[in-house]
Amino acid sequence: MADAKVIPFDDDRSRAGAASRPSRRRSAGSSRRKGEPTVVHEVQPLPGRARPQDDVQVTREQQPPQESQQPQDRPGHPALSPTPHGGAVGSLERRVAGGLSFLRRRLTGDYEVDEFGYDAELTDQVLMSLVRPLYDKYFRVEVKGIENIPAEGGALIVANHSGTLPLDGLMMQVGVHDNHPAGRHLRLLAADLVFMLPVVNELARKAGHTLACAEDAERLLERGELVGVMPEGFKGIGKPFSDRYKLQRFGRGGFVSTALRQGAPIIPCSIVGAEEIYPMIGNAKTLARVLGIPYFPITPTFPWLGPLGAIPLPTKWTIQFGEPIRTDHYPPEAAEDPMLMFNLTDQVREQIQHTLYKLLVQRRSVFF
């Protein structure tokens, strides 16, 4: 199997265009001047049959509509008219052809990934399709404030983190892509543990996720990418159910320093609904240390029901993107000002927390 081609961000090579089809030649008898109506001469009747009343020229615009001949009126010929399901059959054929073409490219290595390992084709056609039913049908995610995300250029989306398992990041990624007019892709910054797991590591790279470090974030923002970060980290995703929708500490504000260096806007994002999918009522810390994970959750269904306990509850989600906080008017040395970083970090955190309380008041039910 051929290796996948790694295409850097600054690669401006374009694909070779497909060869154009030769134009069809028009017969000499069919040529006519522009604007002149097409003339259709009436066919003379055979001897012995009634002659038409007038032998006049009938233009195509004046020709009366003819009744379509039914297939049963043509003996020996099958029905040639399209069936009511002809469009569905054609659509199915196109899907099959597209799927076979996709498999051929994957087997031959004729696809592109960027320097971070992001595979746009695989993400759009496979990974997004696998997550989308969970987004549309199970959690019934409602997105608000999508107009606050710019149509182009780098931007940093900062969101709260919760839910015991990091499903909120995936739902936010699908929500941005499916609701934004430009169909933008969100590149999430993930923790080290994500890239230590064998299968999860490959899937995360293919989906556009990268390590949560300032260097990778700055490179993505510099190339005009939309970057997502959840500063609470494991403190937010592994907090007990009694602390739901209470934001944890936002680290040391490294995301603010990154945005200041690139002059990228910071977009606060509040996610409601993820806290209740796995109500974490306990934490087996000893077992977590043995397994080398930050926490081992105990919920009303896990581990008591085994694999069935890992099924999330079908809560109703709302994702709201707030108004951007501009950073392009600050000087470059502002990224080294600890007081400014603290103030901006606190401003982002307070805006997310206020929006969470507002959405909770507006919510009718956890599940509806």
Side-chain angles (χ1 to χ4, degrees), residues 161 231-240 246-251 294-295:
H161 206 15
E232 292 179 281
F234 291 118
K235 299 186 301 294
I237 196 175
K239 65 176 177 287
K246 297 178 182 178
L247 294 182
Q248 305 299 303
R249 190 172 64 92
F250 268 24
Y295 56 89

Side-chain angles (χ1 to χ4, degrees), residues 68-355:
S68 58
Q69 188 177 10
Q70 298 297 329
Q72 57 269 21
D73 297 336
R74 288 178 279 177
H77 295 276
L80 300 179
S81 60
T83 61
H85 303 287
V89 173
S91 177
L92 179 60
E93 291 178 352
R94 287 192 296 269
R95 291 182 180 180
V96 172
L100 293 176
S101 178
F102 173 78
L103 291 177
R104 180 188 61 79
R105 290 192 299 269
R106 309 311 295 187
L107 293 175
T108 59
D110 186 19
Y111 59 93
E112 300 176 356
V113 296
D114 66 13
E115 56 185 309
F116 296 93
Y118 172 53
D119 190 335
E121 183 185 42
L122 182 67
T123 301
D124 288 342
Q125 298 192 20
V126 178
L127 301 182
M128 285 280 189
S129 300
L130 294 176
V131 180
R132 193 167 285 116
L134 197 65
Y135 172 92
D136 287 330
K137 305 299 182 182
Y138 199 76
F139 293 137
R140 295 145 293 150
V141 182
E142 179 183 0
V143 176
K144 300 180 179 179
I146 195 68
E147 66 277 1
N148 292 319
I149 299 178
E152 58 183 9
L156 187 66
I157 297 181
V158 183
N160 60 307
H161 206 15
S162 62
T164 305
L165 290 181
L167 297 180
D168 49 359
L170 298 178
M171 297 301 106
M172 184 170 62
Q173 186 178 13
V174 177
V176 171
H177 179 268
D178 289 0
N179 291 275
H180 197 277
R184 301 201 64 178
H185 290 276
L186 180 63
R187 310 292 293 271
L188 292 172
L189 303 180
D192 300 356
L193 180 62
V194 174
F195 302 100
M196 295 173 58
L197 303 176
V199 178
V200 177
N201 173 30
E202 294 295 330
L203 293 177
R205 289 290 184 186
K206 295 291 185 182
H209 306 169
T210 187
L211 192 64
C213 63
E215 292 78 10
D216 286 1
E218 288 183 12
R219 288 162 62 192
L220 289 173
L221 290 174
E222 186 179 2
R223 295 301 177 185
E225 296 287 341
L226 197 62
V227 181
V229 61
M230 296 175 168
E232 292 179 281
F234 291 118
K235 299 186 301 294
I237 196 175
K239 65 176 177 287
F241 187 68
S242 57
D243 293 337
R244 60 190 180 278
Y245 299 114
K246 297 178 182 178
L247 294 182
Q248 305 299 303
R249 190 172 64 92
F250 268 24
R252 292 172 293 181
F255 68 92
V256 172
S257 176
T258 301
L260 287 171
R261 287 192 180 94
Q262 297 300 323
I266 300 175
I267 303 174
C269 176
S270 302
I271 304 175
V272 168
E275 295 275 13
E276 294 89 0
I277 60 174
Y278 295 110
M280 187 170 167
I281 59 177
N283 180 16
K285 297 182 179 180
T286 303
L287 186 56
R289 285 195 297 267
V290 172
L291 297 176
I293 54 179
Y295 56 89
F296 188 89
I298 298 177
T299 71
T301 59
F302 183 83
W304 325 115
L305 300 181
L308 292 178
I311 300 177
L313 297 178
T315 59
K316 177 72 170 62
W317 286 37
T318 301
I319 300 178
Q320 179 162 339
F321 299 97
E323 295 184 1
I325 300 174
R326 292 181 52 193
T327 62
D328 54 352
H329 59 282
Y330 291 103
E333 59 271 14
E336 307 300 330
D337 186 352
M339 185 58 64
L340 177 61
M341 290 175 53
F342 174 80
N343 291 335
L344 287 178
T345 301
D346 191 60
Q347 180 182 353
V348 174
R349 186 180 181 277
E350 289 298 323
Q351 187 169 342
I352 295 175
Q353 185 69 81
H354 176 74
T355 305

